[in-house]
Amino acid sequence: MIQLFDRNHFYYLEHPSTKEALLSSMVGKLVEDKYAPEEFLVSILEREKLGQTNINNILAIPHPMSLM
């Protein structure tokens, strides 16, 4: 199972960032590495409007509106 996760796509932040800045940075890396399409960020932000994807103050699992 661990082979499904690329350690380059996990982030630990010592200092807070805005949600939008963090999502933009994370999605930018996924798009750059060809894991996600260009419209991925738009879909994630649309999903976030319906309800936040954070589990607690430490962990969040942002995801798009539909399978991409």
Side-chain angles (χ1 to χ4, degrees):
M1 174 80 98
I2 196 70
Q3 295 170 340
L4 297 174
F5 300 98
D6 183 337
R7 69 178 28 219
N8 294 316
H9 297 136
F10 285 81
Y11 301 89
Y12 173 79
L13 302 175
E14 291 186 28
H15 304 288
S17 177
T18 66
K19 177 171 56 174
E20 292 77 14
L22 178 59
L23 288 173
S24 180
S25 174
M26 291 171 64
V27 169
K29 180 69 174 151
L30 291 172
V31 171
E32 177 183 315
D33 292 348
K34 308 282 190 246
Y35 282 94
E38 292 286 334
E39 62 275 6
F40 197 56
L41 179 59
V42 171
S43 187
I44 288 174
L45 294 175
E46 184 179 340
R47 168 63 183 83
E48 285 287 319
K49 288 179 186 175
L50 296 177
Q52 294 184 354
T53 57
N54 63 309
I55 295 171
N56 56 35
N57 288 339
I58 297 173
L59 180 64
I61 305 174
H63 53 281
M65 286 292 288
S66 60
L67 186 60
M68 295 186 155

